[in-house]
């Protein structure tokens, strides 16, 4: 739990803009805290602590959690990943054709 708190405070520091935390970023952080199973009250205290000690805390960028929708949408995949998947599918099809013709 201590690691979760440390990471969360680092996330808060990375979201500060000139020492201030926008309301939309605060709400996103509270949502992420809920995913980390940090109670809302404790998350608010951690946000306040991180803002006060921002100079002593290393910023940590956070990414949105992967969901089934983002994983299964090829248009959201990077180009190298798309090429790798296409190459793998082509290789499997080639192997099946070779096996059927010469096997």
């Amino acid at each position: 739990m201590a690691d979760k708190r440390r990471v969360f405070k680092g996330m808060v520091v990375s979201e500060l803009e000139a020492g201030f935390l926008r309301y939309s970023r605060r709400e996103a952080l509270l949502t992420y805290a809920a995913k980390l199973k940090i109670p809302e009250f404790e998350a608010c205290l951690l946000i306040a602590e991180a803002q006060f000690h921002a100079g002593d805390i290393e910023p940590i960028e956070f990414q949105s959690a992967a969901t089934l929708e983002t994983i299964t949408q090829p248009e959201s995949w990077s180009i190298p990943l798309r090429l790798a998947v296409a190459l793998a599918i082509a290789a499997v099809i080639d192997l099946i054709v070779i096996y059927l013709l010469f096997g």
Side-chain angles (χ1 to χ4, degrees):
M1 192 63 173
D3 286 339
K4 287 182 181 180
R5 290 183 187 107
R6 182 183 53 78
V7 168
F8 184 74
K9 288 193 288 187
M11 291 167 47
V12 172
V13 171
S14 72
E15 294 296 322
L16 293 176
E17 295 176 9
F20 295 102
L21 183 64
R22 291 178 181 261
Y23 180 76
S24 61
R25 300 311 309 154
R26 179 183 174 84
E27 290 299 312
L29 285 165
L30 289 174
T31 301
Y32 198 76
K35 291 179 183 179
L36 292 174
K37 305 250 189 302
I38 297 174
E40 185 177 353
F41 180 74
E42 184 177 353
C44 290
L45 292 176
L46 291 172
I47 289 171
E49 182 181 352
Q51 286 178 305
F52 187 73
H53 297 289
D56 301 330
I57 300 171
E58 178 143 357
I60 297 174
E61 297 290 329
F62 77 99
Q63 304 293 324
S64 62
T67 62
L68 183 60
E69 294 84 25
T70 60
I71 292 173
T72 58
Q73 293 177 349
E75 63 272 3
S76 67
W77 299 352
S78 66
I79 292 175
L81 179 61
R82 290 185 210 178
L83 291 173
V85 169
L87 183 63
I89 291 171
V92 169
I93 291 172
D94 287 344
L95 289 173
I96 291 171
V97 169
I98 290 170
Y99 177 76
L100 292 174
L101 291 176
F102 301 108

